[in-house]
Amino acid sequence: MEQLRNYINGELTEPVSKTYLDNYEPATGEVYSQIPDSDERDVLLAFNAAKNAFESWSKTSLESRMMILMKVADGIEKRMDEFVAAESKDNGKPQKLARAVDIPRAVSNFRFYASALQHFASESHQMPGVGINYTLRQPIGVVGCISPWNLPLYLFSWKIAPALATGNCVVAKPSEITPYTAYLLSQVCIEAGFPKGVLNIVHGLGNKVGQAIVEHEGIKAISFTGGTETGKRIASVAAPMFKKLSLELGGKNPTIIFADCDFEEIVKQVVSSSFSNQGEICLCGSRIFIEKFIYEKFKEAFVAQVKTLKVGDPNNDDSNMGAIVSFQHKQKILSYIKLAEEEGGAILTGGNEVKLDGRCANGYFIEPTVIDGLDYKCRTNQEEIFGPVVTLTPFENEEDILMMANSVKYGLSATIWTNDLKRAHRVAEKVEAGIVWINSWLVRDLRTPFGGVKASGVGREGGWEAMRFFTEAKNVFIKS
Ligand code: TXE
């Protein structure tokens, strides 16, 4: 059985405990590798390596820093097939999705920030006859990056690339459920000649390794993506330590469809925004609101389209949906489907586990599920399910839809389908979200601010937002 390794001080290392955790393949339900069951001792080794590397890394020329980050991007790209297969095997997503989205985006993340670091400028403020102020944006030092299982390398690199680009050294922890591509990244860093100790990857459990990263006095900023409840726990530890915090948390995103939308075009797009990655994307639209005039027409067309989705072996190119990431998460999703029925919902399609034969006979598969007839205030419509489950709800008018859309504790993203330009701007302005798409979904420009409001998180990633998060601004005034 393959045993993964931590990446500490430029070397692949065993956990101090010498113990390992099983790593499952969601499509088969089988253990296929083991990850280090690291603890605070491994985090301490990683922190010391990062601290020792900081002096030289933070003084590395911008061009050299850019070059080595570009080499990492090239290294991933060169091993694309291996990364794609690993991401799909670890997460359960179709290989074609990992090939189209996850791994290319991880490459883009490294290239984006490798170039951004050469253009990241700061301000000066002249006081005529008095003097001049200039702002230094200095790296923080050793920072912590903790990422989830839904888009493993995509979100892992989304944090560590800007952290490294701004001259910090990193102690990073991928999800224990999907560790493999982070392990491959370690190998790429070694092959690229990445300076020792600048990036350290410690595998293991959240409440052991993640907690140790958050608690460590010397780790001055935490960038986290994951569940809202975990975000709360992290904030409760980090805030009193005055650490900088970036929290990208859960969502319960509305898809808002007005009667004047381009009906034929949107049905397939809303199927995609509902069920991509088995619905395990924080930006998926899980509450679909349809203007009452077209409710029945949309319901019929949408359900018919959903029924064409094939849930299958992630290795097969004709699979539109793969496996749910873990047995526990599959059970959580099924429990919400049961709750929806208890709350009076009608299952229009789906609602069941999918039993495949062959190698996937023991895998974790759920049908794409569409439910209607629920009150917008019920638990199914208020709580994040994070799986292939969406609800349909009719609405009367703009006021009605904004009240329902904003009724949840989350505020991550929203998607609006309408050809009324003024209405699009009005609704985009009033919907409580950090990211809004109009007549599109998941169009991503890495320069834009990324993040949510309310229980969806604190702070923004992306573009200069990430570069500023990972630096401290210092104003210096010189008298003339
Ligand atoms: O997140 P967790 P998971 C939501 C979604 C999902 C829920 C849980 O609702 O069902 O979060 O998913 C580490 N201190 N999203 O289990 O548990 C953990 O090891 C420090 C939305 O992935 O929050 C992992 O590396 N770290 C999200 C990471 O935190 C801790 C995407 C995320 O784990 C920790 C994924 C602790 N006390 C899930 N406990 C989005 N917004 O994209 C755990 N961890």
Side-chain angles (χ1 to χ4, degrees):
M1 177 73 70
E2 183 181 11
Q3 290 186 331
L4 277 58
R5 292 285 185 269
N6 289 329
Y7 171 57
I8 297 176
N9 204 29
E11 290 172 11
L12 298 178
T13 62
E14 285 216 72
V16 172
S17 67
K18 296 275 192 282
T19 56
Y20 289 82
L21 302 164
D22 287 342
N23 185 34
Y24 287 79
E25 178 179 6
T28 63
E30 310 288 327
V31 176
Y32 82 96
S33 57
Q34 291 191 313
I35 79 164
D37 183 12
S38 309
D39 57 39
E40 71 284 349
R41 294 170 294 177
D42 303 283
V43 169
L44 185 57
L45 289 172
F47 169 76
N48 289 336
K51 193 167 181 333
N52 294 337
F54 177 63
E55 185 61 27
S56 59
W57 177 246
S58 59
K59 292 190 170 31
T60 304
S61 74
L62 297 185
E63 190 173 3
S64 318
R65 219 184 284 168
M66 177 274 290
M67 297 285 280
I68 192 69
L69 289 174
M70 288 293 189
K71 270 185 89 174
V72 171
D74 296 345
I76 297 170
E77 200 167 54
K78 258 194 231 105
R79 295 173 63 171
M80 179 64 71
D81 292 346
E82 203 181 340
F83 273 90
V84 164
E87 200 72 295
S88 170
K89 186 169 187 174
D90 228 4
N91 171 275
K93 68 181 72 201
Q95 281 210 21
K96 69 181 174 186
L97 181 64
R99 182 177 303 281
V101 175
D102 293 70
I103 308 307
R105 174 59 193 278
V107 173
S108 301
N109 287 344
F110 275 104
R111 286 182 176 148
F112 178 84
Y113 284 106
S115 53
L117 69 85
Q118 297 184 92
H119 307 280
F120 184 47
S122 57
E123 310 77 17
S124 67
H125 302 84
Q126 192 187 5
M127 300 168 74
V130 178
I132 186 166
N133 300 274
Y134 64 88
T135 306
L136 292 176
R137 289 195 181 279
Q138 298 172 303
I140 294 169
V142 179
V143 300
C145 297
I146 301 171
S147 58
W149 49 253
N150 60 322
L151 302 163
L153 193 64
Y154 173 133
L155 291 174
F156 191 63
S157 55
W158 185 229
K159 295 175 182 304
I160 60 177
L164 295 169
T166 41
N168 298 286
C169 289
V170 178
V171 177
K173 192 197 89 67
S175 172
E176 59 277 27
I177 301 171
T178 52
Y180 207 93
T181 44
Y183 173 57
L184 290 179
L185 175 65
S186 309
Q187 297 172 12
V188 165
C189 288
I190 292 170
E191 287 155 15
F194 212 76
K196 291 178 183 299
V198 171
L199 170 63
N200 303 277
I201 299 173
V202 185
H203 292 277
L205 298 174
N207 57 13
K208 267 167 77 173
V209 176
Q211 183 86 2
I213 292 170
V214 174
E215 285 174 344
H216 194 290
E217 281 289 346
I219 298 178
K220 302 293 186 192
I222 302 291
S223 177
F224 169 77
T225 295
T228 292
E229 289 313 307
T230 309
K232 277 185 194 168
R233 279 202 300 279
I234 290 172
S236 70
V237 172
M241 298 174 79
F242 302 107
K243 294 188 180 194
K244 283 185 90 170
L245 259 185
S246 165
L247 299 174
E248 296 295 333
L249 307 176
K252 190 71 178 181
N253 309 314
T255 297
I256 303 167
I257 301 170
F258 287 95
D260 73 332
C261 67
D262 293 333
F263 188 86
E264 295 316 318
E265 183 204 323
I266 73 151
V267 173
K268 279 196 174 165
Q269 293 213 44
V270 176
V271 168
S272 175
S273 64
S274 301
F275 299 109
S276 290
N277 202 46
Q278 300 71 242
E280 296 165 332
I281 301 177
C282 58
L283 301 168
C284 277
S286 50
R287 295 181 292 149
I288 303 173
F289 296 97
I290 307 106
E291 194 167 8
K292 63 181 182 184
F293 310 117
I294 60 164
Y295 183 78
E296 290 304 326
K297 181 184 171 192
F298 177 83
K299 180 168 90 170
E300 188 187 335
F302 181 69
V303 168
Q305 191 63 38
V306 171
K307 285 180 186 291
T308 68
L309 292 177
K310 186 173 184 312
V311 179
D313 187 332
N315 294 347
N316 297 346
D317 272 353
D318 66 349
S319 298
N320 304 106
M321 285 171 59
I324 300 299
V325 74
S326 69
F327 175 79
Q328 295 75 2
H329 195 53
K330 171 176 72 80
Q331 296 305 103
K332 171 183 170 183
I333 296 164
L334 292 172
S335 73
Y336 271 104
I337 294 172
K338 186 165 173 290
L339 172 68
E341 290 190 286
E342 289 162 2
E343 293 188 310
I347 296 186
L348 304 176
T349 184
N352 307 299
E353 283 196 71
V354 176
K355 276 297 169 201
L356 299 175
D357 52 23
R359 79 177 198 101
C360 295
N362 298 317
Y364 318 129
F365 297 89
I366 295 180
E367 295 173 320
T369 302
V370 183
I371 302 166
D372 84 341
L374 286 167
D375 185 284
Y376 77 91
K377 293 192 300 299
C378 74
R379 282 185 56 205
T380 309
N381 269 327
Q382 293 287 314
E383 297 176 15
E384 185 185 50
I385 299 170
F386 215 66
V389 180
V390 297
T391 61
L392 306 184
T393 307
F395 67 85
E396 295 283 332
N397 53 40
E398 243 176 77
E399 193 186 350
D400 186 31
I401 177 50
L402 281 164
M403 178 276 292
M404 292 195 285
N406 292 338
S407 67
V408 294
K409 69 176 185 176
Y410 297 102
L412 187 53
S413 72
T415 306
I416 305 164
W417 300 94
T418 179
N419 281 311
D420 178 334
L421 200 54
K422 287 184 181 173
R423 173 159 65 192
H425 288 299
R426 271 199 311 271
V427 176
E429 197 181 314
K430 291 178 184 165
V431 71
E432 291 167 359
I435 302 150
V436 180
W437 283 286
I438 298 171
N439 298 333
S440 55
W441 178 68
L442 212 59
V443 175
R444 290 284 295 117
D445 178 328
L446 303 191
R447 295 170 297 178
T448 57
F450 181 91
V453 296
K454 304 196 303 188
S456 291
V458 174
R460 294 294 183 273
E461 295 183 294
W464 298 140
E465 303 280 343
M467 304 288 275
R468 289 186 172 210
F469 173 74
F470 285 115
T471 50
E472 287 293 2
K474 178 187 290 175
N475 184 64
V476 180
F477 171 76
I478 309 178
K479 193 173 180 313
S480 52

